[in-house]
Amino acid sequence: MYAEERQQAIAALVLQRGRASVTELATTYDVTTETVRRDLAVLHKAGLLRRVHGGAVPARALHLVEQDVDERETTRAPYKDAIAAAATEFFPVGGGSVLLDAGTTTSRIAAAIPTDRELVVVTNSIPVADRLSTVPSVSLQVLGGRVRGLTQACVGEQALQTLEQMRVDIAFIGTNGITARHGLSTPDAEEAAIKRAMVNCANYVVVASDSSKMGREALHSFAELSSVDVIITDTEISPDTHAELSGCGIDIICAGATA
């Protein structure tokens, strides 16, 4: 394989996975790590990738633009369904309090919520509230505030003040990006503030995120990885990313998508 062909293949792989390490690329293309670093330097200079410590991410991995709910609802749907199914194992067995963040994956968790126990569910998500409003076993509380049309999430001071006075058993949190350096992140400052308050008021934090978010960094960090107990993701997470996150003391659950 010529250098140009290898570089094109590397660029395509990183764009597909969201991140790749130098050692992973060297093994994949049977070249030395020094050769990979030279390839990444070429791709970085061309604006196709962005070099980071130990590897590379897509050039636009620092995400400033959000998709709306309808766009995200159909993106990687089988993976999100598998994550939601795995998340049901974390609901308090004897009943208790649960906080569900806004997002298409957490909305799927709401749809799969166990109905054989009494649960208090707090959410800032209009779609989640709609899903749970008629479930007899759920005592639903919706955070007030301004609703962001893009994500259909309640944000603002009213919601923050309510969260500051709460303590819940478990929180299921969504995120736009996960890295060891930047933690959990999202493009919008108001949503970041809400997510930060959710993490702070929970005794146990479960992050529900498909593997496309791994290695990505959005503008606003809202939690360090040390604040997270479990990450539920899919089986496409790279071995390097799995090892990196596990090294931060987080349990990683890889849920397999069904056809």
Side-chain angles (χ1 to χ4, degrees):
M1 181 181 287
Y2 293 109
E4 292 82 1
E5 293 176 314
R6 185 178 60 250
Q7 289 161 11
Q8 290 176 1
I10 288 173
L13 182 67
V14 173
L15 288 171
Q16 177 187 8
R17 295 187 180 179
R19 182 185 180 93
S21 71
V22 169
T23 54
E24 178 185 5
L25 293 170
T27 301
T28 300
Y29 298 105
D30 194 24
V31 294
T32 66
T33 55
E34 289 76 13
T35 297
V36 170
R37 290 190 180 94
R38 287 195 295 269
D39 288 338
L40 295 181
V42 171
L43 294 167
H44 178 88
K45 187 175 181 179
L48 297 175
L49 298 178
R50 183 163 64 89
R51 294 188 67 182
V52 296
H53 179 70
V57 297
R60 295 191 62 193
L62 183 61
H63 290 269
L64 302 177
V65 179
E66 295 176 90
Q67 292 178 306
D68 64 26
V69 171
D70 290 337
E71 289 177 300
R72 289 185 288 117
E73 185 64 41
T74 56
T75 302
R76 299 178 66 82
Y79 299 98
K80 294 176 180 179
D81 289 337
I83 291 168
T88 61
E89 299 297 322
F90 288 88
F91 279 90
V93 175
S97 54
V98 174
L99 202 158
L100 281 172
D101 187 15
T104 53
T105 304
T106 47
S107 183
R108 283 171 162 81
I109 294 174
I113 196 167
T115 57
D116 60 346
R117 68 205 74 169
E118 299 291 325
L119 292 169
V120 175
V121 178
V122 182
T123 187
N124 69 325
S125 167
I126 301 304
V128 167
D130 182 57
R131 284 181 183 272
L132 296 179
S133 60
T134 58
V135 178
S137 58
V138 170
S139 175
L140 179 65
Q141 298 184 28
V142 182
L143 297 175
R146 181 179 67 84
V147 177
R148 288 191 73 216
L150 191 67
T151 59
Q152 298 180 35
C154 297
V155 296
E157 191 62 31
Q158 183 178 348
L160 286 173
Q161 289 179 357
T162 303
L163 287 168
E164 287 172 358
Q165 300 171 14
M166 280 189 173
R167 174 62 59 180
V168 297
D169 293 316
I170 184 168
F172 293 94
I173 304 294
T175 185
N176 296 78
I178 303 175
T179 66
R181 177 182 65 177
H182 198 48
L184 308 179
S185 56
T186 194
D188 183 76
E190 286 190 297
E191 292 222 26
I194 294 295
K195 290 174 182 287
R196 186 177 301 113
M198 288 179 168
V199 170
N200 289 338
C201 78
N203 290 328
Y204 196 82
V205 176
V206 176
V207 173
S209 172
D210 70 81
S211 60
S212 70
K213 311 295 178 57
M214 307 298 173
R216 294 188 177 188
E217 294 179 347
L219 188 60
H220 299 280
S221 174
F222 62 86
E224 297 181 357
L225 293 187
S226 59
S227 303
V228 176
D229 296 290
V230 175
I231 292 177
I232 307 177
T233 187
D234 58 69
T235 53
E236 289 195 353
I237 183 175
S238 73
D240 286 344
T241 300
H242 191 290
E244 181 180 41
L245 296 177
S246 297
C248 295
I250 302 172
D251 291 332
I252 310 296
I253 294 177
C254 300
T258 56

